[in-house]
Amino acid sequence: MQKKFERFLLILCLYSLFFSFFSCKKKNNLVDTSIIEISNEQNTKPHQWYAFSQTGFTTVSLPQNAPAVPQKPWTEAIRISSANSASAEDGTIQNAFLIVNRLGILSVSGDNIELNKDTTLFSERTAGNLVFVNGTPVYSLYKSTFFNSNLQDNQHPFLVQFDPISKISYPLVNCDNLTSNKACEVTDFIWDGRTWFCCIKSEEDAKTDFSYIKWTSNIPLLNQSPAVASSNISIVESDADSFRKEREPLAFSKAPDRIKKLLNGMASTVPFNLTCMTAGGTSPRLYSNVAKENEEALLAYGVVAESWSGILFQDGTLYVEGALDGRRILRRGKPVALRLPRLPYGFNYTSFIISGATLYAAWEESDFYMTSRSGFITVDLDKTLYTKITS
């Protein structure tokens, strides 16, 4: 039972963190006649490509023209692993954050981009799972001994907050605040706004075990630190079945109404799996529109913000509704379809976020669980949406 669940977690993590290679061969059923196409052949391009290197990122003409990099497992590769924005109820520009595994955090505001590198925390750890606590970005770290058996030290940070003002990350909770076992890592978690549901992997004497807990912070989480967290956390033991139930995708019919509205014109027979975030919110929720077992499904990433919502499919088809920061409502509230530039075989779009009127969409070159080149594209939505849509 445990081995089956471990395989389930691996498969789930793979599809939620990157788009599998075979899906790009699937016939695209998402295109309609009203879609706005963005082409790399345009004389005046409303977009710009960026690629990551070992030290940062640089502009490139096309993803396939980025310098070649060695393939690595997704836990070890430089890639955007998670993205979301803070909530902006007053209508101002949403500040957004993108976790770049092995590098640091991209903080963006409108078309302003800044990479906040952190070699101390990021160089030997897998980073991701971005959530927000009272408007502050919080993410997780862990070490994958499966892919790198040389990672042996006494530091096991788990939850980390990123201070948008100082541009510095501060550990909040370490693994040893949650368990007496020193040789452990929190490999996955779910946060619902109050309770943290964690999967803990421990290794001792060549034996691997998984345990599951639920915990709450007895003080405001952002006031926690590894030095005091052990005495300020309430822990309840749980089990694999409960964690699996929380992680299993729901039927797409149970998705938020604003997300379902985006795909009203899409054939109900199109299979897809959707990871859906709420801007400034908690852990994402997974939704599935797959009717048959082992059916090939498109992968998608959704965001519900205060004034807009959107879904990006792996082929670059983007659906948006609402009003971007400080701008009028698009098409009187009806969804708008946009096609990002086509990627070559072996490349896919993954997560995205919108800040101001700038779209940030992650791309990566992958083969099953291996990743090589990666980066992101920025798109000026004022030029591609608001100048082309009059009603």
Side-chain angles (χ1 to χ4, degrees), residues 313-358:
F313 284 85
Q314 66 188 77
D315 71 338
T317 304
L318 174 72
Y319 293 90
V320 182
E321 64 82 26
L324 302 186
D325 299 329
R327 290 157 179 81
R328 60 177 172 82
I329 296 177
L330 291 162
R331 288 187 61 193
R332 300 178 183 176
K334 297 179 181 179
V336 177
L338 178 70
R339 167 70 67 73
L340 301 185
R342 294 182 182 274
L343 292 170
Y345 178 80
F347 290 73
N348 286 295
Y349 290 104
T350 58
S351 56
F352 83 100
I353 196 60
I354 298 173
S355 178
T358 302

Short mmCIF file of all heavy atoms in Angstrom, two decimals, residues 313-358:
data_model
loop_
_atom_site.label_atom_id
_atom_site.label_comp_id
_atom_site.label_asym_id
_atom_site.label_seq_id
_atom_site.Cartn_x
_atom_site.Cartn_y
_atom_site.Cartn_z
N PHE A 313 -3.17 26.74 -20.90
CA PHE A 313 -2.91 25.35 -21.25
C PHE A 313 -1.48 25.21 -21.75
O PHE A 313 -0.84 26.18 -22.16
CB PHE A 313 -3.90 24.88 -22.33
CG PHE A 313 -5.27 24.61 -21.81
CD1 PHE A 313 -6.20 25.64 -21.68
CD2 PHE A 313 -5.65 23.33 -21.41
CE1 PHE A 313 -7.47 25.40 -21.18
CE2 PHE A 313 -6.92 23.09 -20.90
CZ PHE A 313 -7.82 24.12 -20.79
N GLN A 314 -0.99 23.98 -21.70
CA GLN A 314 0.42 23.74 -22.00
C GLN A 314 0.83 24.11 -23.41
O GLN A 314 2.01 24.33 -23.69
CB GLN A 314 0.75 22.26 -21.76
CG GLN A 314 0.04 21.32 -22.72
CD GLN A 314 0.23 19.88 -22.33
OE1 GLN A 314 -0.40 19.42 -21.40
NE2 GLN A 314 1.09 19.18 -23.01
N ASP A 315 -0.13 24.19 -24.35
CA ASP A 315 0.20 24.57 -25.72
C ASP A 315 0.26 26.07 -25.90
O ASP A 315 0.55 26.56 -26.99
CB ASP A 315 -0.81 23.96 -26.70
CG ASP A 315 -2.18 24.62 -26.61
OD1 ASP A 315 -2.49 25.22 -25.56
OD2 ASP A 315 -2.95 24.54 -27.59
N GLY A 316 -0.02 26.84 -24.84
CA GLY A 316 0.04 28.29 -24.92
C GLY A 316 -1.31 28.96 -25.11
O GLY A 316 -1.37 30.18 -25.29
N THR A 317 -2.39 28.20 -25.08
CA THR A 317 -3.73 28.78 -25.20
C THR A 317 -4.13 29.35 -23.84
O THR A 317 -4.18 28.63 -22.85
CB THR A 317 -4.76 27.74 -25.65
OG1 THR A 317 -4.32 27.16 -26.87
CG2 THR A 317 -6.11 28.39 -25.88
N LEU A 318 -4.42 30.65 -23.82
CA LEU A 318 -4.74 31.35 -22.59
C LEU A 318 -6.16 31.91 -22.66
O LEU A 318 -6.53 32.56 -23.65
CB LEU A 318 -3.75 32.50 -22.35
CG LEU A 318 -4.04 33.43 -21.18
CD1 LEU A 318 -3.76 32.72 -19.85
CD2 LEU A 318 -3.20 34.71 -21.27
N TYR A 319 -6.96 31.65 -21.64
CA TYR A 319 -8.29 32.22 -21.52
C TYR A 319 -8.30 33.19 -20.35
O TYR A 319 -7.86 32.85 -19.24
CB TYR A 319 -9.33 31.13 -21.30
CG TYR A 319 -9.51 30.21 -22.48
CD1 TYR A 319 -8.74 29.05 -22.61
CD2 TYR A 319 -10.45 30.48 -23.47
CE1 TYR A 319 -8.91 28.20 -23.70
CE2 TYR A 319 -10.63 29.64 -24.56
CZ TYR A 319 -9.85 28.51 -24.66
OH TYR A 319 -10.01 27.67 -25.74
N VAL A 320 -8.80 34.40 -20.58
CA VAL A 320 -8.82 35.44 -19.54
C VAL A 320 -10.20 36.09 -19.52
O VAL A 320 -10.82 36.29 -20.58
CB VAL A 320 -7.75 36.53 -19.81
CG1 VAL A 320 -7.76 37.57 -18.69
CG2 VAL A 320 -6.37 35.91 -19.92
N GLU A 321 -10.68 36.44 -18.33
CA GLU A 321 -11.91 37.21 -18.21
C GLU A 321 -11.74 38.24 -17.11
O GLU A 321 -10.90 38.09 -16.21
CB GLU A 321 -13.10 36.30 -17.90
CG GLU A 321 -13.04 35.58 -16.56
CD GLU A 321 -13.50 36.41 -15.37
OE1 GLU A 321 -14.31 37.34 -15.57
OE2 GLU A 321 -13.03 36.13 -14.24
N GLY A 322 -12.53 39.32 -17.20
CA GLY A 322 -12.51 40.34 -16.16
C GLY A 322 -11.76 41.57 -16.61
O GLY A 322 -11.70 41.90 -17.80
N ALA A 323 -11.17 42.26 -15.65
CA ALA A 323 -10.44 43.51 -15.91
C ALA A 323 -9.07 43.43 -15.28
O ALA A 323 -8.93 43.11 -14.10
CB ALA A 323 -11.21 44.70 -15.35
N LEU A 324 -8.03 43.71 -16.08
CA LEU A 324 -6.69 43.77 -15.53
C LEU A 324 -6.54 45.03 -14.69
O LEU A 324 -7.37 45.95 -14.75
CB LEU A 324 -5.66 43.73 -16.65
CG LEU A 324 -5.72 42.51 -17.57
CD1 LEU A 324 -4.56 42.53 -18.55
CD2 LEU A 324 -5.74 41.22 -16.78
N ASP A 325 -5.46 45.12 -13.91
CA ASP A 325 -5.28 46.20 -12.95
C ASP A 325 -5.47 47.57 -13.59
O ASP A 325 -4.76 47.94 -14.53
CB ASP A 325 -3.87 46.13 -12.35
CG ASP A 325 -3.65 44.82 -11.61
OD1 ASP A 325 -4.62 44.28 -11.06
OD2 ASP A 325 -2.51 44.35 -11.57
N GLY A 326 -6.45 48.34 -13.08
CA GLY A 326 -6.66 49.70 -13.54
C GLY A 326 -7.22 49.84 -14.93
O GLY A 326 -7.17 50.93 -15.51
N ARG A 327 -7.76 48.76 -15.49
CA ARG A 327 -8.26 48.80 -16.86
C ARG A 327 -9.72 48.36 -16.90
O ARG A 327 -10.24 47.82 -15.95
CB ARG A 327 -7.38 47.93 -17.76
CG ARG A 327 -5.99 48.54 -17.97
CD ARG A 327 -4.97 47.50 -18.36
NE ARG A 327 -3.67 48.10 -18.59
CZ ARG A 327 -2.82 48.41 -17.61
NH1 ARG A 327 -3.14 48.20 -16.35
NH2 ARG A 327 -1.65 48.94 -17.90
N ARG A 328 -10.35 48.59 -18.06
CA ARG A 328 -11.77 48.27 -18.20
C ARG A 328 -11.97 46.75 -18.31
O ARG A 328 -11.03 45.99 -18.57
CB ARG A 328 -12.35 48.95 -19.44
CG ARG A 328 -11.68 48.55 -20.74
CD ARG A 328 -12.34 49.21 -21.93
NE ARG A 328 -11.59 48.98 -23.16
CZ ARG A 328 -11.66 47.89 -23.90
NH1 ARG A 328 -12.44 46.89 -23.51
NH2 ARG A 328 -10.94 47.76 -25.00
N ILE A 329 -13.20 46.34 -18.16
CA ILE A 329 -13.55 44.93 -18.27
C ILE A 329 -13.48 44.50 -19.73
O ILE A 329 -13.96 45.20 -20.63
CB ILE A 329 -14.96 44.68 -17.71
CG1 ILE A 329 -14.98 44.98 -16.21
CG2 ILE A 329 -15.40 43.23 -17.96
CD1 ILE A 329 -16.34 44.84 -15.58
N LEU A 330 -12.88 43.36 -19.97
CA LEU A 330 -12.75 42.83 -21.33
C LEU A 330 -14.08 42.27 -21.83
O LEU A 330 -14.75 41.52 -21.11
CB LEU A 330 -11.69 41.72 -21.36
CG LEU A 330 -10.24 42.16 -21.15
CD1 LEU A 330 -9.39 40.96 -20.76
CD2 LEU A 330 -9.70 42.84 -22.40
N ARG A 331 -14.47 42.63 -23.03
CA ARG A 331 -15.64 42.06 -23.72
C ARG A 331 -16.87 41.98 -22.81
O ARG A 331 -17.59 40.99 -22.82
CB ARG A 331 -15.31 40.67 -24.26
CG ARG A 331 -14.37 40.65 -25.45
CD ARG A 331 -14.24 39.25 -26.01
NE ARG A 331 -15.53 38.74 -26.48
CZ ARG A 331 -15.78 37.48 -26.78
NH1 ARG A 331 -14.82 36.56 -26.62
NH2 ARG A 331 -16.96 37.09 -27.21
N ARG A 332 -17.07 43.00 -21.99
CA ARG A 332 -18.22 43.05 -21.09
C ARG A 332 -18.31 41.82 -20.20
O ARG A 332 -19.39 41.32 -19.86
CB ARG A 332 -19.52 43.21 -21.90
CG ARG A 332 -19.55 44.49 -22.74
CD ARG A 332 -20.82 44.57 -23.56
NE ARG A 332 -20.81 45.76 -24.40
CZ ARG A 332 -21.77 46.06 -25.28
NH1 ARG A 332 -22.81 45.22 -25.42
NH2 ARG A 332 -21.71 47.14 -26.00
N GLY A 333 -17.16 41.32 -19.81
CA GLY A 333 -17.10 40.20 -18.90
C GLY A 333 -17.00 38.84 -19.55
O GLY A 333 -16.86 37.83 -18.86
N LYS A 334 -17.05 38.78 -20.88
CA LYS A 334 -16.94 37.51 -21.58
C LYS A 334 -15.47 37.09 -21.68
O LYS A 334 -14.58 37.94 -21.78
CB LYS A 334 -17.55 37.61 -22.97
CG LYS A 334 -19.04 37.91 -22.98
CD LYS A 334 -19.55 38.03 -24.40
CE LYS A 334 -21.05 38.35 -24.41
NZ LYS A 334 -21.56 38.49 -25.80
N PRO A 335 -15.17 35.80 -21.68
CA PRO A 335 -13.78 35.34 -21.79
C PRO A 335 -13.14 35.72 -23.13
O PRO A 335 -13.82 35.82 -24.15
CB PRO A 335 -13.89 33.82 -21.66
CG PRO A 335 -15.19 33.59 -20.96
CD PRO A 335 -16.11 34.68 -21.43
N VAL A 336 -11.84 35.94 -23.08
CA VAL A 336 -11.04 36.25 -24.26
C VAL A 336 -9.99 35.15 -24.41
O VAL A 336 -9.39 34.71 -23.43
CB VAL A 336 -10.34 37.61 -24.11
CG1 VAL A 336 -9.44 37.89 -25.31
CG2 VAL A 336 -11.37 38.73 -23.95
N ALA A 337 -9.78 34.69 -25.63
CA ALA A 337 -8.79 33.64 -25.90
C ALA A 337 -7.57 34.22 -26.58
O ALA A 337 -7.68 35.00 -27.53
CB ALA A 337 -9.41 32.54 -26.77
N LEU A 338 -6.40 33.85 -26.08
CA LEU A 338 -5.12 34.34 -26.61
C LEU A 338 -4.21 33.14 -26.81
O LEU A 338 -4.14 32.25 -25.96
CB LEU A 338 -4.50 35.31 -25.60
CG LEU A 338 -3.14 35.92 -25.92
CD1 LEU A 338 -3.26 36.91 -27.07
CD2 LEU A 338 -2.57 36.61 -24.68
N ARG A 339 -3.51 33.09 -27.94
CA ARG A 339 -2.55 32.01 -28.19
C ARG A 339 -1.14 32.56 -28.12
O ARG A 339 -0.75 33.43 -28.91
CB ARG A 339 -2.81 31.41 -29.58
CG ARG A 339 -1.68 30.50 -30.09
CD ARG A 339 -1.58 29.19 -29.36
NE ARG A 339 -2.73 28.36 -29.61
CZ ARG A 339 -2.95 27.74 -30.78
NH1 ARG A 339 -2.15 27.89 -31.79
NH2 ARG A 339 -4.02 26.99 -30.90
N LEU A 340 -0.36 32.09 -27.16
CA LEU A 340 1.05 32.47 -27.06
C LEU A 340 1.83 31.85 -28.21
O LEU A 340 1.37 30.88 -28.84
CB LEU A 340 1.62 32.02 -25.72
CG LEU A 340 0.93 32.56 -24.46
CD1 LEU A 340 1.69 32.10 -23.22
CD2 LEU A 340 0.82 34.07 -24.49
N PRO A 341 3.03 32.38 -28.51
CA PRO A 341 3.82 31.82 -29.61
C PRO A 341 4.03 30.31 -29.44
O PRO A 341 4.24 29.81 -28.33
CB PRO A 341 5.14 32.57 -29.51
CG PRO A 341 4.78 33.87 -28.86
CD PRO A 341 3.69 33.54 -27.88
N ARG A 342 3.96 29.60 -30.55
CA ARG A 342 4.13 28.14 -30.49
C ARG A 342 5.55 27.78 -30.07
O ARG A 342 6.52 28.40 -30.47
CB ARG A 342 3.83 27.53 -31.86
CG ARG A 342 2.38 27.66 -32.29
CD ARG A 342 2.16 26.99 -33.64
NE ARG A 342 0.79 27.14 -34.09
CZ ARG A 342 -0.22 26.34 -33.75
NH1 ARG A 342 0.01 25.31 -32.96
NH2 ARG A 342 -1.45 26.55 -34.20
N LEU A 343 5.63 26.74 -29.25
CA LEU A 343 6.91 26.22 -28.82
C LEU A 343 7.27 25.00 -29.65
O LEU A 343 6.39 24.28 -30.12
CB LEU A 343 6.86 25.83 -27.34
CG LEU A 343 6.70 26.98 -26.34
CD1 LEU A 343 6.41 26.43 -24.95
CD2 LEU A 343 7.93 27.87 -26.32
N PRO A 344 8.57 24.73 -29.82
CA PRO A 344 8.96 23.52 -30.57
C PRO A 344 8.69 22.26 -29.78
O PRO A 344 8.39 22.30 -28.58
CB PRO A 344 10.47 23.73 -30.79
CG PRO A 344 10.90 24.64 -29.69
CD PRO A 344 9.73 25.54 -29.41
N TYR A 345 8.79 21.13 -30.47
CA TYR A 345 8.57 19.83 -29.84
C TYR A 345 9.50 19.67 -28.64
O TYR A 345 10.68 20.00 -28.69
CB TYR A 345 8.83 18.71 -30.84
CG TYR A 345 8.67 17.33 -30.25
CD1 TYR A 345 7.40 16.77 -30.09
CD2 TYR A 345 9.77 16.61 -29.82
CE1 TYR A 345 7.24 15.52 -29.53
CE2 TYR A 345 9.62 15.35 -29.26
CZ TYR A 345 8.35 14.81 -29.12
OH TYR A 345 8.20 13.57 -28.55
N GLY A 346 8.97 19.15 -27.54
CA GLY A 346 9.75 18.95 -26.34
C GLY A 346 9.70 20.12 -25.37
O GLY A 346 10.23 20.03 -24.26
N PHE A 347 9.09 21.24 -25.79
CA PHE A 347 8.94 22.41 -24.93
C PHE A 347 7.46 22.57 -24.58
O PHE A 347 6.58 22.27 -25.40
CB PHE A 347 9.41 23.68 -25.65
CG PHE A 347 10.90 23.78 -25.86
CD1 PHE A 347 11.52 22.99 -26.81
CD2 PHE A 347 11.66 24.67 -25.12
CE1 PHE A 347 12.89 23.08 -27.03
CE2 PHE A 347 13.03 24.77 -25.34
CZ PHE A 347 13.64 23.97 -26.29
N ASN A 348 7.18 23.08 -23.39
CA ASN A 348 5.81 23.34 -22.97
C ASN A 348 5.74 24.58 -22.10
O ASN A 348 6.72 24.95 -21.44
CB ASN A 348 5.24 22.16 -22.17
CG ASN A 348 4.90 20.97 -23.04
OD1 ASN A 348 4.01 21.04 -23.87
ND2 ASN A 348 5.62 19.88 -22.83
N TYR A 349 4.57 25.22 -22.10
CA TYR A 349 4.29 26.25 -21.12
C TYR A 349 3.82 25.59 -19.82
O TYR A 349 3.18 24.54 -19.85
CB TYR A 349 3.19 27.19 -21.63
CG TYR A 349 3.62 28.08 -22.77
CD1 TYR A 349 3.22 27.80 -24.08
CD2 TYR A 349 4.41 29.20 -22.55
CE1 TYR A 349 3.61 28.61 -25.14
CE2 TYR A 349 4.81 30.02 -23.60
CZ TYR A 349 4.40 29.72 -24.89
OH TYR A 349 4.80 30.53 -25.94
N THR A 350 4.15 26.22 -18.71
CA THR A 350 3.72 25.68 -17.42
C THR A 350 2.90 26.73 -16.68
O THR A 350 1.82 27.10 -17.14
CB THR A 350 4.92 25.19 -16.60
OG1 THR A 350 5.84 26.28 -16.39
CG2 THR A 350 5.65 24.06 -17.31
N SER A 351 3.38 27.26 -15.58
CA SER A 351 2.59 28.19 -14.78
C SER A 351 2.63 29.60 -15.37
O SER A 351 3.44 29.91 -16.24
CB SER A 351 3.10 28.21 -13.34
OG SER A 351 4.48 28.52 -13.31
N PHE A 352 1.73 30.47 -14.88
CA PHE A 352 1.70 31.85 -15.35
C PHE A 352 1.15 32.75 -14.25
O PHE A 352 0.56 32.30 -13.26
CB PHE A 352 0.82 31.98 -16.60
CG PHE A 352 -0.65 32.10 -16.29
CD1 PHE A 352 -1.29 33.34 -16.29
CD2 PHE A 352 -1.41 30.98 -15.96
CE1 PHE A 352 -2.63 33.46 -15.99
CE2 PHE A 352 -2.76 31.09 -15.67
CZ PHE A 352 -3.37 32.33 -15.67
N ILE A 353 1.34 34.04 -14.45
CA ILE A 353 0.73 35.04 -13.59
C ILE A 353 0.65 36.34 -14.38
O ILE A 353 1.39 36.54 -15.35
CB ILE A 353 1.52 35.22 -12.26
CG1 ILE A 353 0.68 35.95 -11.22
CG2 ILE A 353 2.83 35.93 -12.51
CD1 ILE A 353 -0.59 35.26 -10.85
N ILE A 354 -0.27 37.22 -13.98
CA ILE A 354 -0.40 38.54 -14.60
C ILE A 354 -0.19 39.59 -13.53
O ILE A 354 -0.79 39.52 -12.45
CB ILE A 354 -1.79 38.71 -15.25
CG1 ILE A 354 -2.00 37.69 -16.37
CG2 ILE A 354 -1.95 40.13 -15.80
CD1 ILE A 354 -3.41 37.68 -16.94
N SER A 355 0.66 40.57 -13.82
CA SER A 355 0.88 41.70 -12.92
C SER A 355 0.71 42.97 -13.74
O SER A 355 1.41 43.15 -14.75
CB SER A 355 2.28 41.64 -12.30
OG SER A 355 2.50 42.76 -11.47
N GLY A 356 -0.20 43.83 -13.31
CA GLY A 356 -0.52 44.98 -14.14
C GLY A 356 -1.13 44.49 -15.44
O GLY A 356 -2.12 43.78 -15.44
N ALA A 357 -0.51 44.86 -16.56
CA ALA A 357 -0.95 44.36 -17.86
C ALA A 357 0.13 43.51 -18.51
O ALA A 357 0.19 43.38 -19.72
CB ALA A 357 -1.32 45.52 -18.78
N THR A 358 1.00 42.92 -17.68
CA THR A 358 2.08 42.08 -18.20
C THR A 358 1.85 40.63 -17.78
O THR A 358 1.67 40.33 -16.59
CB THR A 358 3.44 42.54 -17.68
OG1 THR A 358 3.66 43.91 -18.06
CG2 THR A 358 4.56 41.69 -18.27
#
